[in-house]
Amino acid sequence: MDALGRRRFLTRAVLGTTATVAGATALGALAPEAIAEPALDVEAGAPDPNFAEGRITGVKGSMIMANGSDGVLHLIQLTAATSIWKLRPTTLDVAQVGDGLYARGVRMPDGVLAADAVWLNIVNLTVHISAISKDTLHLDHHGDKIVGHVVSGTTAAVYNGTPAVSDLSLLQVGQHAQVIGAWRPDTNEVDIATVFAAA
């Protein structure tokens, strides 16, 4: 996937809208809609100073450097209280150069973002299921072909808003669904955390 294709994929796939995110409790405190919640004092159309996005260019101690899609370099300070998600709640040691990053926190006077929460490679996809195999869902996301990998012990399904279960047998080819997962950088592949679908 070329740089333009990657940026288009991330722009369309990652955030979705807060209105389309269902079952927030499936991801606990790191629910996807928390990414899109702007600060209360941000003017309409203005960038949220307490939010950063981009691709990681370096990790040094508890500091992450990331290049934003708008070319802005972000310095993000993590603390012992920072929540980190990469397919599941995790720790800073899983962050790698090249990972996509979304962070929310408080902007310090020196411009560093003190992060409350960091999401690595998160995607929020509205899809059409085009094929199903034992460990893979083939997905169509607005014409983009996405390979969704089922991760044993992690991937779950939420049918009609019921609690998440590991049983994916009710998913069907031709069905529309929403997929929360972790993008495999520079590919059209994601590891699936949760599939939201009708049963």
Side-chain angles (χ1 to χ4, degrees):
M1 185 177 289
D2 63 25
L4 182 58
R6 174 184 51 78
R7 183 167 291 166
R8 183 171 53 90
F9 172 76
L10 284 174
T11 300
R12 291 196 327 202
V14 175
L15 295 179
T17 66
T18 56
T20 64
V21 176
T25 57
L27 292 177
L30 296 168
E33 65 267 28
I35 298 173
E37 291 173 358
L40 296 176
D41 58 352
V42 176
E43 290 183 29
D48 182 348
N50 298 317
F51 176 78
E53 62 78 30
R55 290 195 68 182
I56 295 176
T57 57
V59 179
K60 186 173 183 180
S62 60
M63 183 78 74
I64 295 177
M65 288 72 70
N67 250 351
S69 60
D70 56 1
V72 172
L73 175 64
H74 297 284
L75 297 176
I76 300 142
Q77 178 68 57
L78 280 66
T79 70
T82 304
S83 298
I84 303 170
W85 186 94
K86 189 176 185 180
L87 189 62
R88 62 186 67 86
T90 189
T91 56
L92 177 59
D93 59 314
V94 302
Q96 299 177 353
V97 170
D99 280 345
L101 170 140
Y102 289 83
R104 181 161 295 291
V106 176
R107 191 72 62 176
M108 305 306 287
D110 62 0
V112 171
L113 181 70
D116 294 322
V118 172
W119 296 265
L120 300 173
N121 297 330
I122 190 168
V123 293
N124 175 7
L125 305 164
T126 53
V127 300
H128 176 261
I129 300 172
S130 54
I132 300 174
S133 62
K134 181 175 182 270
D135 297 317
T136 310
L137 298 179
H138 294 272
L139 311 169
D140 183 299
H141 173 68
H142 304 290
D144 291 324
K145 303 302 180 197
I146 308 295
V147 177
H149 297 278
V150 175
V151 180
S152 178
T154 298
T155 302
V158 174
Y159 301 107
N160 303 323
T162 59
V165 295
S166 59
D167 179 11
L168 304 183
S169 66
L170 298 179
L171 298 176
Q172 300 175 20
V173 171
Q175 186 174 31
H176 292 280
Q178 181 178 354
V179 172
I180 304 295
W183 172 55
R184 293 185 180 183
D186 301 313
T187 72
N188 67 334
E189 301 178 49
V190 299
D191 293 318
I192 300 171
T194 310
V195 180
F196 300 90

